[in-house]
Amino acid sequence: MTFNDHLGARTVVDHLLWHGYQDVVCVAGEIGAGPAEGREGGRRQAMESPDRPRAICATTDEQALVTIRTATSLGLRVPDGLAVVGFDGVREARLGSFPLTTVGLPFEEFAVRAFDALGAVFHDGGSPSAPVVPDGTLSVGVTCGCAPGPTA
């Protein structure tokens, strides 16, 4: 099962644009490997400004958390000096007093569909149903500037 990476990236970048950021840089893994290409494509489609970036869209929550740590070590305050958003909605990114703004993936839906597909193949002798590409959900934390809270 795949996820609508392109739409998820558009959603999170549109949220940063709503905040007034004129440019958003993407921190991604290797383009062409995994979901990074679709997520970068969604970010690129949402952006049109050549101005210096004040916001970062990371293609994974882990990359976003590393970006926040690095920004903090350089003296930047998140989100005042740099807004950072992630992707995946992993539990660790949403916990604590400094939750990350991220696009959460429907992990429970993935699991249900995977078990349904396995059941269709092994128990019913049929083939799995047509692939579905679910959307994610924007989970607003404090790293985009929405919610009040401590800054890192």
Side-chain angles (χ1 to χ4, degrees):
M1 174 179 261
T2 60
F3 169 73
N4 193 338
D5 292 307
H6 195 87
L7 179 62
R10 285 289 318 244
T11 300
V12 77
V13 171
D14 284 344
H15 182 76
L16 289 170
L17 293 172
W18 175 81
H19 274 287
Y21 297 107
Q22 299 299 310
D23 197 8
V24 179
V25 170
C26 183
V27 172
E30 182 181 342
I31 299 298
E37 187 170 355
R39 295 175 186 182
E40 163 56 10
R43 185 224 44 107
R44 192 173 45 250
Q45 186 179 27
M47 296 310 311
E48 297 175 355
S49 173
D51 294 338
R52 181 180 166 273
R54 282 207 39 237
I56 292 180
C57 173
T59 61
T60 68
D61 287 344
E62 290 83 5
Q63 291 168 339
L65 295 172
V66 168
T67 299
I68 290 170
R69 269 184 291 208
T70 302
T72 301
S73 73
L74 295 172
L76 293 172
R77 295 172 55 95
V78 175
D80 301 332
L82 179 69
V84 179
V85 297
F87 217 102
D88 294 329
V90 298
R91 185 174 177 257
E92 295 78 16
R94 295 179 287 121
L95 297 177
S97 61
F98 199 71
L100 178 69
T101 296
T102 184
V103 174
L105 303 183
F107 292 118
E108 288 182 25
E109 181 181 347
F110 285 162
V112 168
R113 289 183 187 274
F115 279 109
D116 288 347
L118 287 172
V121 172
F122 292 111
H123 296 294
D124 303 332
S127 61
S129 60
V132 175
V133 182
D135 298 334
T137 304
L138 181 64
S139 176
V140 177
V142 299
T143 61
C144 63
C146 272
T151 56

